[in-house]
Amino acid sequence: MNVLSVQSVSVSYGGVHALSEVSLDVEQGQLVGLIGPNGAGKTTFVDAVTGLVTARGRMKLDGQDLTGLPPHARARRGLARTFQSSELFEDLTVAENLQITADRPSWWRALGETLGRRVSPNSAAAQALSALGLEDLAHASAHQLSQGQRKLVGVARALAAGPRVVCLDEPAAGLDTAESAELGRRLRAIADDGTSLLLIDHDMSLVMGICDHVVVLEFGKVIASGPPAQVRTDPAVITAYLGAS
Ligand code: ATP
């Protein structure tokens, strides 16, 4: 079953058609990559799905219509995201940064109703810390962290809300090759554990190495969609990337 289903979504900024009729599905526990050259519309897609920009088209989460809902209502239904710049509360510890996301009683009640069981904020924050391998940094202040560690905390913070789907906007930016590979292993494990992920990143070996399915945007349109092995050899994708370099 699709956890996230997006059909024919379009977004215009004034005269600029940032997205045209883009459709994309994410199944339970699936890791879907969304790639494309700079300016292709990837962040705009996440902004549209999370309700930060007005979009035409239809979007459903667990079969429920999201169209027209404000961002906080979408988040409460289980849609989480990270941002390109992971803004953390600098004077708080890593654990406190996660707890802020997790500690919302009404949120947890609503999520419990959706899932049909009680869910506890503390356990979700602890699980998110361990899912990203951040246990040893739990009591470090955010301002002490490296750029790579900040990205991991941004992902953990999104997970601490106990989401159904997390949209990850360039989580590997600022990570070195080894850190990026480690992040990839952790994202794969999170998806295998049942949390669906939509991954935007420019690190092709990361995206192609861990995703079940990859969607390619160029100039706001889907030019390819399929398993990584198929997308990697698609002539339209090769042209889009060679043309952009
Ligand atoms: P990148 O890989 O560089 O982050 P992207 O694929 O995420 O790029 P978007 O940031 O979604 O692309 O931009 C898609 C298009 O919409 C671009 O042409 C961009 O200039 C334009 N755009 C994005 N945000 C705005 C805005 N707030 N106002 C006007 N145009 C915008």
Side-chain angles (χ1 to χ4, degrees), residues 13 16 18 36-45 84 170 202:
Y13 296 112
V16 178
N38 287 327
K42 304 178 297 293
T43 297
T44 300
F45 180 83
Q84 275 176 8
E170 299 195 22
H202 287 287

Side-chain angles (χ1 to χ4, degrees), residues 4 7 14 42 46 48-49 51 53 64 69 80 84 90 113 120 122 136 140 177 192 196 199-200 211 220:
L4 179 67
Q7 288 163 8
K42 304 178 297 293
V46 175
V49 169
V53 298
Q64 290 189 310
L69 289 181
Q84 275 176 8
E90 297 297 326
E113 281 163 21
S120 132
N122 283 326
D136 291 346
T177 310
D192 291 343
S196 306
L199 171 65
I200 294 176
C211 288

Side-chain angles (χ1 to χ4, degrees), residues 101-113 117 119-122 124-125 159-162:
T101 310
D103 200 8
R104 294 183 191 164
S106 61
W107 182 319
W108 290 95
R109 266 198 306 280
L111 186 69
E113 281 163 21
R117 60 179 164 81
V119 268
S120 132
N122 283 326
L159 274 180

